[in-house]
Amino acid sequence: MAGLVKQINITSVETIILELPTVREHVLSMTAIDRQVVTLVIVRASDGIEGYGEGTTIGGLSYGDESPEGIKLAIDTYFAPLLIGEPANRVGSAMAVLEREIVGNRFAKCAIETALLDGQG
């Protein structure tokens, strides 16, 4: 049947917190940073494809309202249950679910969107 597109669904969302050294020390107004803590997001789809995204904030909660630990908690607790079963190949649709159900959490949403787009690529 021509024109039918196989439905590819999100099967899992995994988050990992990594601490990575920076190339050089970054001096901020209240501290100096020689390492960066990032939240890596892996979105897996029913066709076996994996997409990777990253949620990173500088300075933790001193500079914004999200932290790597908070990003991981939000994705694991709230985002993943909403996304499992959603179409992995329809990024806009998956992101619309998150926008409708979750307020704020920009860095966490960005990490998910990046992982979905990476999977499409």
Side-chain angles (χ1 to χ4, degrees):
M1 299 172 108
L4 290 179
V5 176
K6 180 182 176 186
Q7 183 69 27
I8 301 168
N9 295 325
I10 297 170
T11 58
S12 70
V13 179
E14 179 182 0
T15 57
I16 302 166
I17 293 181
L18 301 171
E19 185 175 317
L20 304 171
T22 59
V23 173
R24 66 183 185 292
E25 185 175 72
H26 297 279
V27 179
L28 305 172
S29 63
M30 58 182 9
T31 190
I33 298 172
D34 63 357
R35 61 184 177 78
Q36 181 66 47
V37 180
V38 301
T39 306
L40 179 66
V41 178
I42 306 164
V43 175
R44 294 183 180 88
S46 57
D47 64 352
I49 298 292
E50 294 182 348
Y52 292 80
E54 171 195 3
T56 304
T57 61
I58 292 179
L61 296 176
S62 299
Y63 279 87
D65 56 0
E66 288 181 83
S67 68
E69 298 81 8
I71 292 168
K72 178 177 177 23
L73 179 66
I75 291 172
D76 291 349
T77 305
Y78 300 103
F79 289 48
L82 293 171
L83 291 170
I84 303 299
E86 287 294 316
N89 53 345
R90 294 180 51 213
V91 176
S93 174
M95 294 309 297
V97 169
L98 296 182
E99 286 298 326
R100 184 174 59 247
E101 299 293 330
I102 297 173
V103 176
N105 292 277
R106 297 172 315 215
F107 286 97
K109 287 177 181 172
C110 181
I112 291 289
E113 185 173 37
T114 301
L116 288 168
L117 290 169
D118 183 58
Q120 271 193 335

